[in-house]
């Protein structure tokens, strides 16, 4: 153990973690490329991707749960009213009116409710981060496929020009052969 650690060289000081060297992700990197065709492909993919749609729904559900988890920290108030009219007894009618107000509040003595709220908030933030990652990941996959298609098209052009050059070279060699200048 100790000898192996002593033999292992130290990492140079200029090495740094990715977060220190890369910094924040440029959210508008697709726009920055200035290619409207690529932008349209990315937008179409994001609008029609079922996984991304499910992630967006999960974000909404998570934030709704976070709101519900924090609701127990506030008092619950309910108001009720009732009006009754009784039948006539010896020419007199009986009217009754009732108005009720009820408030309840659970004390968070041990911090259970607040901890549940914090957990729900973290869960919602996590779902939101997953959704954002899914958007970036899909945009990167579309961009990669788009650039590969452009590269493949350029390789076809290079292959066609190479074939043209080889055909011309063959023609020249054939002419030289016919004139006795080449074997």
């Amino acid at each position: 153990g100790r000898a192996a650690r002593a033999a292992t060289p130290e990492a140079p000081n200029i090495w740094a973690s990715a977060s220190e060297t890369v910094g924040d992700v440029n959210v508008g990197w697709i726009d920055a490329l200035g290619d409207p065709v690529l932008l349209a492909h990315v937008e179409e993919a994001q609008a029609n991707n079922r996984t991304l749609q499910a992630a967006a729904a999960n974000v909404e559900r998570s934030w709704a749960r976070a709101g519900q988890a924090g609701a127990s920290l506030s008092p619950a108030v309910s108001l009720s009213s009732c009006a009754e009219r009784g039948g006539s007894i010896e020419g007199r009618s009986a009217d009754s009116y009732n108005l009720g107000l009820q408030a309840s509040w659970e004390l968070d003595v041990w911090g259970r409710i607040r901890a549940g709220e914090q957990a729900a908030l973290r869960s919602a933030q996590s779902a939101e981060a997953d959704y954002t990652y899914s958007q970036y990941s899909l945009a990167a996959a579309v961009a990669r496929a788009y650039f590969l298609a452009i590269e493949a098209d350029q390789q076809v052009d290079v292959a066609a020009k190479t074939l043209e050059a080889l055909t011309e070279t063959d023609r020249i060699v054939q002419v030289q052969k016919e004139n006795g200048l080449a074997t």
Side-chain angles (χ1 to χ4, degrees), residues 46 49 51-52 55 128-140:
Q46 289 180 339
N49 186 281
T51 303
L52 199 57
E128 203 164 74
D130 286 345
Y131 174 66
T132 302
Y133 169 78
S134 296
Q135 286 179 309
Y136 292 160
S137 179
L138 182 60

Side-chain angles (χ1 to χ4, degrees), residues 6-7 12-13 16 21 24 35 39 64 68 72 74 76 80-81 100 107 113 115 124 130 138 148 156 170 175:
N13 289 336
T21 57
D24 292 334
D35 189 334
L39 181 60
Q68 289 172 345
S72 298
S74 303
S80 63
S81 64
L107 290 175
I113 297 172
D130 286 345
L138 182 60
L148 285 173
V156 167
D170 183 56
V175 168

